[in-house]
């Protein structure tokens, strides 16, 4: 099914977001490995895999819409200099995702592209879950100090 250009525009923007998130979480995983923080490295790697699964869903939808999926404008990763800063940058990233998906879902629904609207709503729910997880990590880190 062909989608409205505004909808495919959001799909492309979302794919850029997801690959940027993969890049940021993987950079943080690598840094944590170098710092000897294996548990944290695994946690960030897990996040990177979840964002990669989002990129997969968006790529499938772009292909169905007759477009070649590709992230042409990755945001430079902002890993942070310590765990607190990492979680702070990740919170910014996830907040931006929630806002992007809220707008994308609303516009897609308005244009009666209900399947894509449902995909964006699902991704928004996942990113809200990521935000909650980050809040827990930040609280646990603050309690340790
Ligand atoms: Fe995501
Ligand atoms: Fe996320």
């Amino acid at each position: 099914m062909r989608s409205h250009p505004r909808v495919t525009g959001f799909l492309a923007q979302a794919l850029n977001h997801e690959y940027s998130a993969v890049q940021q979480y993987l950079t943080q995983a690598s840094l944590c490995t170098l710092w000897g923080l294996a548990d944290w490295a695994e946690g960030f790697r897990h996040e990177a895999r979840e964002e990669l699964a989002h990129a997969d869903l968006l790529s499938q939808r772009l292909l169905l819409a007759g477009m070649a999926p590709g992230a042409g404008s990755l945001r430079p990763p902002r890993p942070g200099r310590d765990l607190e800063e990492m979680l702070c940058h990740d919170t910014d990233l996830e907040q931006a995702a929630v806002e992007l998906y809220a707008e994308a879902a609303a516009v897609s629904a308005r244009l009666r592209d209900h399947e894509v609207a449902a995909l964006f709503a699902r991704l928004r729910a996942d990113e809200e879950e990521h935000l909650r997880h980050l809040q827990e990590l930040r609280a646990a880190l603050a309690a340790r100090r």
Side-chain angles (χ1 to χ4, degrees), residues 1 3-4 7 10 17 28 34 37 43-45 58 64 80 83 86 88 92 97 105-106 113 133 142 144:
M1 186 196 106
S3 286
H4 190 280
V7 173
F10 273 117
H17 165 82
Q28 291 174 329
L34 292 175
L37 303 172
F44 286 125
R45 232 172 264 128
L58 290 162
L64 283 171
L83 289 173
M86 284 184 171
C88 184
D92 290 346
D113 202 331
H133 178 59
R144 262 181 18 191

Side-chain angles (χ1 to χ4, degrees), residues 15-129:
L15 190 64
N16 274 302
H17 165 82
E18 295 297 342
Y19 279 127
S20 299
V22 168
Q23 180 167 250
Q24 176 151 322
Y25 282 125
L26 267 188
T27 305
Q28 291 174 329
S30 303
L31 267 173
C32 284
T33 300
L34 292 175
W35 293 341
L37 303 172
D39 288 356
W40 283 90
E42 191 40 48
F44 286 125
R45 232 172 264 128
H46 175 80
E47 293 302 318
R49 280 192 294 269
E50 294 212 346
E51 309 300 11
L52 195 59
H54 289 170
D56 184 9
L57 292 171
L58 290 162
S59 295
Q60 290 175 36
R61 185 45 65 177
L62 278 161
L63 287 165
L64 283 171
M67 292 177 67
S73 55
L74 288 186
R75 209 174 353 186
R78 294 171 74 209
R81 289 163 298 186
D82 54 35
L83 289 173
E84 277 91 357
E85 217 176 86
M86 284 184 171
L87 299 178
C88 184
H89 289 329
D90 294 343
T91 300
D92 290 346
L93 184 81
E94 298 292 349
Q95 192 64 55
V98 169
E99 284 163 25
L100 169 64
Y101 288 131
E103 190 189 356
V107 170
S108 303
R110 225 171 18 246
L111 293 167
R112 300 183 195 287
D113 202 331
H114 297 297
E115 275 184 37
V116 176
L119 171 62
F120 285 139
R122 180 208 154 161
L123 294 174
R124 177 189 175 171
D126 284 355
E127 309 301 3
E128 281 172 341
E129 191 52 45

